[in-house]
Amino acid sequence: MKKQTIGATGAIILFLAVILCSCAKAEPQSVSFQSMDTLMTMKVYGGDSDLCDRLQQRITELDTQLDATDENSEIHQLNQKGTAKVSDDTADILERSLRLSGELGQAFDITVYPAVKAWGFTSGDYRIPDDNELKELAAKIDDTAVKSENNTFTLPDGAMLDLGAVAKGYAADQCGAILKESHAAAAVLNLGGTIKLYGKKPDGSRFSVGVADPDNPAGYFGYLSCEGGVVATSGGYERYFERDGKRYIHILDPTTAKPVENGIRSVTILCDNGTAADALSTALFVMGLDKATAYYQAHPDFDFIILTDNDNLYITEGITDDFTLSNGYDFTIKSVEIAATQTDTSR
Ligand code: AMP
Ligand code: MG
């Protein structure tokens, strides 16, 4: 009899514990902080109780190593000395970036830093370099000449690295590994507009990601529904200056060292891999619509949403039905198809 009573009490305690536990899991942990020059906000369901702290710590650590403008960072040291041995983290992002750069051709180049600096995008002291200076700057942009061996990187003469186009995507991948390790159920990490979507939401619904309106970046011109991955957006609206009515944006064409002017207002990428998503958003912006479309058709392992100056919205066929235009926007949606004859899934 006594045994049975204890058993019943035990069962009740166990039942309550399960209820309490599942309630705790349904309540997300969240955190907001400033890193990588932007505001980051995170919402995490399940996993260890210090998970948000660990994610924040990891991103802060990466920022400290990778920020070219920070005199104490490894990238700054490498840029100053021309050769340096770096940590495993820094070596990893550099190797990945160089590989992506090889795949993306001249649209993407991590030795763009001297040009970014010359235009004033690192300091806010904006200026327009003259044609001679631009020629010299463009001649120095060539990340195919970066050498590496056992974490020691050597830059070609006069070259300097800028990981601004990939750091947030890489951070998203690193956070993904931590979420997995600590058995999180789901997470939405907004790393300054690069969004990592992880796991399954408690109510089973799909994630919905707003795509920033370049004319009013606090608002969204539409929403993309998806099951996971990383959504990265590049747009001139993120950093630019104006002179004599003309806008100069922070995304540069490595072949000319000049800000891109090709009729694109923003490029949003959905891809499982964050580093690739981030590199692709920058690179496809530089490529322009036709080359971006051709690139996608040859490597259809990601999706894009490209907004052009004439209010056309080009969306790859894999996600056309998952996109909803917000009320009040009359953009013309054009679905971009995979041309079967050009398919090459080797990437
Ligand atoms: P994102 O916002 O991801 O498109 O990255 C833009 C940032 O990457 C700029 O602020 C520059 O620091 C750097 N950048 C600009 N143009 C390029 C380029 N063509 N390839 C690689 N990095 C670039
Ligand atoms: Mg990018």
XYZ file of all heavy atoms in Angstrom, residues 107-110 112 116 162 164-165 234 238-239 250-252 254 278 281-282 286, ligand 1:
173
model
N 33.196 39.163 -59.423
C 32.172 39.940 -58.708
C 32.458 40.019 -57.217
O 31.972 40.913 -56.526
C 30.798 39.315 -58.937
N 33.240 39.079 -56.734
C 33.464 38.975 -55.297
C 34.954 38.867 -55.031
O 35.631 38.009 -55.601
C 32.735 37.728 -54.784
C 32.860 37.535 -53.306
C 31.973 38.146 -52.437
C 33.860 36.740 -52.780
C 32.089 37.982 -51.068
C 33.982 36.570 -51.409
C 33.100 37.182 -50.560
N 35.482 39.752 -54.174
C 36.916 39.712 -53.912
C 37.190 40.287 -52.533
O 36.845 41.437 -52.256
C 37.661 40.525 -54.990
C 39.145 40.227 -54.996
O 39.775 40.371 -53.930
O 39.665 39.861 -56.055
N 37.807 39.491 -51.658
C 38.006 39.963 -50.279
C 39.226 40.872 -50.129
O 39.518 41.319 -49.030
C 38.072 38.790 -49.264
C 39.179 37.803 -49.624
C 36.725 38.115 -49.123
C 39.474 36.801 -48.510
N 39.264 43.784 -51.369
C 38.661 45.050 -51.791
C 38.893 46.174 -50.749
O 38.563 47.341 -50.998
C 37.145 44.774 -52.061
C 36.358 44.695 -50.767
C 36.533 45.732 -53.021
N 37.526 50.149 -50.482
C 36.440 50.486 -49.551
C 36.876 51.654 -48.660
O 36.115 52.593 -48.406
C 36.074 49.238 -48.687
C 35.080 49.587 -47.593
C 35.515 48.119 -49.577
N 39.113 42.427 -46.473
C 37.863 42.944 -45.914
C 36.872 41.780 -45.916
O 36.490 41.291 -46.985
C 37.360 44.073 -46.830
C 36.033 44.653 -46.379
O 35.355 44.037 -45.535
O 35.671 45.723 -46.897
N 33.849 41.964 -44.665
C 32.513 42.537 -44.439
C 31.409 41.836 -45.217
O 30.255 41.814 -44.791
N 31.742 41.249 -46.345
C 30.713 40.625 -47.180
C 30.363 39.209 -46.737
O 29.391 38.631 -47.234
C 31.170 40.607 -48.643
N 21.772 41.969 -49.463
C 22.713 43.062 -49.740
C 21.949 44.177 -50.434
O 21.151 43.913 -51.343
C 23.831 42.593 -50.682
O 24.705 41.724 -50.008
N 22.127 50.037 -47.251
C 22.778 49.730 -45.966
C 23.909 50.717 -45.642
O 24.150 51.027 -44.482
C 23.333 48.306 -45.968
C 22.231 47.271 -45.871
C 22.714 45.861 -46.114
O 23.854 45.679 -46.581
O 21.941 44.934 -45.843
N 24.627 51.162 -46.660
C 25.680 52.176 -46.459
C 25.919 52.893 -47.788
O 26.212 52.257 -48.792
C 26.960 51.510 -45.969
C 27.957 52.491 -45.400
C 29.060 51.808 -44.624
N 28.566 51.035 -43.495
C 29.252 50.084 -42.881
N 30.447 49.766 -43.300
N 28.748 49.442 -41.851
N 28.181 51.141 -50.888
C 29.353 50.458 -50.302
C 29.709 49.137 -50.990
O 30.691 48.509 -50.623
C 29.088 50.185 -48.816
C 28.000 49.166 -48.580
N 28.170 48.078 -47.756
C 26.744 49.065 -49.074
C 27.064 47.360 -47.745
N 26.181 47.951 -48.531
N 28.917 48.723 -51.959
C 29.251 47.485 -52.680
C 30.008 47.895 -53.945
O 29.486 48.658 -54.769
C 27.980 46.677 -53.015
C 27.244 46.321 -51.708
C 28.331 45.413 -53.797
C 25.868 45.737 -51.911
N 31.240 47.407 -54.056
C 32.121 47.866 -55.140
C 32.317 46.796 -56.194
O 32.315 45.597 -55.893
C 33.500 48.248 -54.570
C 33.526 49.258 -53.418
C 34.976 49.590 -53.049
C 32.767 50.537 -53.758
N 34.870 44.957 -58.131
C 36.319 44.772 -57.990
C 37.107 45.089 -59.267
O 38.292 45.397 -59.183
C 36.455 43.278 -57.634
C 35.146 42.927 -57.009
C 34.127 43.741 -57.754
N 25.792 34.825 -47.713
C 26.301 36.188 -47.584
C 27.180 36.571 -48.783
O 27.033 37.657 -49.372
C 27.096 36.288 -46.264
C 27.196 37.702 -45.745
O 26.837 38.630 -46.482
O 27.662 37.886 -44.606
N 24.976 37.094 -51.856
C 24.156 38.313 -51.916
C 25.010 39.481 -52.420
O 24.554 40.281 -53.238
C 23.512 38.626 -50.557
O 24.471 39.041 -49.620
N 26.256 39.537 -51.963
C 27.141 40.614 -52.420
C 27.513 40.402 -53.894
O 27.435 41.322 -54.711
C 28.430 40.635 -51.560
O 28.061 40.619 -50.184
C 29.272 41.864 -51.852
N 26.751 42.594 -57.487
C 27.772 43.129 -58.401
C 27.549 42.611 -59.824
O 27.691 43.352 -60.804
C 29.196 42.751 -57.912
C 30.261 43.252 -58.882
C 29.446 43.309 -56.507
P 27.262 42.837 -47.890
O 26.488 43.818 -47.069
O 27.256 41.438 -47.348
O 26.887 42.867 -49.329
O 28.800 43.261 -47.806
C 29.224 44.520 -48.254
C 30.574 44.817 -47.650
O 31.559 43.931 -48.229
C 31.056 46.212 -47.966
O 30.713 47.113 -46.936
C 32.558 46.040 -48.111
O 33.158 46.039 -46.828
C 32.686 44.637 -48.696
N 32.606 44.607 -50.175
C 32.170 45.565 -51.032
N 32.198 45.142 -52.312
C 32.668 43.873 -52.263
C 32.925 42.893 -53.273
N 32.670 43.108 -54.562
N 33.422 41.683 -52.857
C 33.670 41.437 -51.547
N 33.452 42.321 -50.574
C 32.937 43.521 -50.906
